[in-house]
Amino acid sequence: MQEQTLLQSKIEQGDFTRGGEVSSSLKDVLRKLGIKSETSRRVTIVTYELEMNIIIHSLGGEIEVLISSEQIKVVATDRGPGIPDVEKAFQPGFSTADDFVRGMGFGAGMGLNNIKHYSDQLTVETGQGKKSKFTAIICL
Amino acid sequence: MTRLGESSMKVRELADKLELEVISGPFEKEINGVYIGDLLSNVMAKAAAGNLWITVHGHVNVVAVASLTQVAAVIVVEDFPIESAAVQKAQTNQVTILRTPLTAVDLLRKLIELGV
């Protein structure tokens, strides 16, 4: 299965001003490729949440989006600080976001659930003090 | 009788009728329903293209969410402040932002009366 990179972008910690730019660029790319709108919507939601997670919770990282004939793969990697308890992090409503972030309408403990809900397959590699890697697959 | 979501009203007509403050255009998009919410993950998941999105947020990330969900317009209620960076980004990305002193509930009542 040959994969082609659609987009690769670095994301800085706390860079709310640029939040959503990766997802927006990706949406344009998917439209030009003629990807059906429901698939594009799912990929965009997953990418947006991963993008905001890097901005809000990590020390910075990057997102790469790859396409093959069968699927779109969104890979989000960061430089830490890692998620100590993944199961807990996926509980709806659980959040470690501070008041500033919550005041902007983020950090309500729904992002990871959105990622899981809209992905066909999701793997998370992380741990306390480690880098995190999310790999989300959406079938075409 | 008109029912919620059945109108084919455009943003310009709505802004005129409800005397909404115009922050950014365009105004020619058709409205096909309403979503009210301030949690951005929820808005991402549930707002549909063509909806009016009613919120208290006026920061720059609202523009990203509005652009991604392709809502017809964002209506900021209770005259909440709108960041100048958000206005600039909205103009660049063709995201319509309107504002009203009304609360979300009072605005919704008026939208229902109009059959939006």
Side-chain angles (χ1 to χ4, degrees):
Chain A
M1 188 170 59
Q2 203 177 357
E3 283 184 331
Q4 190 189 336
T5 299
L6 285 181
L7 183 150
Q8 191 169 20
S9 184
K10 286 200 184 326
I11 297 166
E12 298 303 323
Q13 175 187 18
D15 191 3
F16 286 94
T17 312
R18 294 190 58 203
E21 284 189 5
V22 176
S23 329
S24 295
S25 306
L26 179 62
K27 194 173 185 182
D28 289 341
V29 172
L30 297 176
R31 193 184 56 234
K32 281 173 193 157
L33 285 174
I35 303 294
K36 59 183 179 188
S37 64
E38 183 50 31
T39 307
S40 169
R41 184 173 167 279
R42 291 172 61 202
V43 174
T44 308
I45 291 172
V46 167
T47 308
Y48 176 78
E49 296 289 4
L50 288 169
E51 187 180 356
M52 293 316 302
N53 267 357
I54 292 175
I55 291 172
I56 295 167
H57 298 289
S58 85
L59 303 170
E62 70 166 44
I63 284 188
E64 185 177 14
V65 183
L66 303 114
I67 191 166
S68 71
S69 56
E70 290 160 14
Q71 64 186 39
I72 293 174
K73 184 156 83 181
V74 187
V75 184
T77 48
D78 67 38
R79 298 192 287 275
I83 304 169
D85 186 340
V86 178
E87 206 177 312
K88 202 169 177 183
F90 272 91
Q91 281 173 10
F94 177 80
S95 177
T96 56
D98 61 25
D99 286 348
F100 169 73
V101 168
R102 286 171 193 258
M104 292 172 79
F106 297 110
M110 288 145 57
L112 289 179
N113 289 284
N114 260 0
I115 295 168
K116 196 173 173 184
H117 180 76
Y118 289 102
S119 302
D120 288 307
Q121 196 187 314
L122 176 67
T123 55
V124 186
E125 298 158 58
T126 186
Q128 179 118 41
K130 293 182 177 169
K131 296 173 180 178
S132 297
K133 181 178 180 182
F134 284 75
T135 307
I137 290 172
I138 293 99
C139 297
L140 289 173
Chain B
M1 191 179 109
T2 49
R3 288 201 314 218
L4 206 63
E6 282 189 351
S7 125
S8 59
M9 191 183 289
K10 288 190 175 172
V11 171
R12 182 183 301 281
E13 191 186 346
L14 181 83
D16 287 346
K17 283 189 170 160
L18 297 184
E19 295 177 340
L20 303 172
E21 179 188 356
V22 171
I23 307 291
S24 64
F27 310 106
E28 303 312 319
K29 291 180 212 160
E30 296 228 342
I31 300 163
N32 72 356
V34 181
Y35 185 79
I36 305 179
D38 298 316
L39 294 176
L40 301 187
S41 287
N42 239 21
V43 179
M44 276 299 292
K46 295 188 177 164
N51 280 180
L52 290 173
W53 171 23
I54 299 174
T55 181
V56 294
H57 292 303
H59 58 75
V60 75
N61 294 96
V62 166
V63 179
V65 172
S67 174
L68 287 164
T69 51
Q70 293 179 301
V71 292
V74 180
I75 307 183
V76 177
V77 291
E78 299 184 45
D79 270 344
F80 264 77
I82 300 172
E83 289 177 358
S84 57
V87 178
Q88 221 167 7
K89 196 164 184 175
Q91 282 162 347
T92 309
N93 289 279
Q94 299 271 293
V95 167
T96 310
I97 303 181
L98 307 163
R99 182 162 58 181
T100 176
L102 297 171
T103 64
V105 170
D106 289 339
L107 174 62
L108 186 62
R109 282 198 187 103
K110 287 178 185 284
L111 290 170
I112 291 170
E113 278 170 22
L114 288 173
V116 171

